[in-house]
Amino acid sequence: MMRGRNFDMYQVGYISKRVKKEINEFSKQEQRAIEEAIEELCVNPRPLSRKYEQLWCCSEIKKIKVGRIRVFYQIDEKNSQIWIGKLDNRDSHTYKTDPKSWFQRTA
């Protein structure tokens, strides 16, 4: 497991190094917007202002919108932990893979 950042209520971690690479693929402005959204998740893991939803095919996976970017994550209520599993631009290929595969814990 990767170590995450600790903000107010929930701690955020990334499932794998792949997620960090995904963040780096976005522009600096988009990275700042993603960081702001993740900070918001730390306080409220279900922010309506970010159009929070659970995936219809996999209710344990949640998503928020950051412009055209989608942040997919899981909430571990027991441990006050949020695991970021995927960041992607919203387009036709975003939902073609099995979302559970995004949350397989690797280094």
Side-chain angles (χ1 to χ4, degrees), residues 5-64:
R5 295 184 56 188
N6 191 8
F7 293 94
D8 292 330
M9 296 175 59
Y10 285 79
Q11 185 175 14
V12 173
Y14 301 98
I15 289 296
S16 69
K17 291 179 182 178
R18 171 190 47 80
V19 179
K20 291 253 187 198
K21 288 179 186 176
E22 290 172 357
I23 292 172
N24 291 331
E25 291 174 5
F26 293 104
S27 71
K28 294 295 180 189
Q29 182 179 1
E30 290 170 322
Q31 288 178 27
R32 282 190 297 277
I34 292 167
E35 181 69 26
E36 288 174 14
I38 290 173
E39 287 179 20
E40 200 173 318
L41 287 177
C42 292
V43 177
N44 177 8
R46 295 171 184 84
L48 295 178
S49 64
R50 298 279 181 183
K51 299 186 180 177
Y52 157 83
E53 298 176 352
Q54 61 186 25
L55 294 188
W56 63 271
C57 62
C58 192
S59 63
E60 69 268 12
I61 298 175
K62 316 303 183 203
K63 75 173 179 182
I64 57 170

Side-chain angles (χ1 to χ4, degrees), residues 94-106:
T94 302
Y95 300 98
K96 286 189 176 180
T97 59
D98 178 12
K100 290 180 183 178
S101 69
W102 302 334
F103 291 89
Q104 296 174 359
R105 296 180 195 272
T106 60

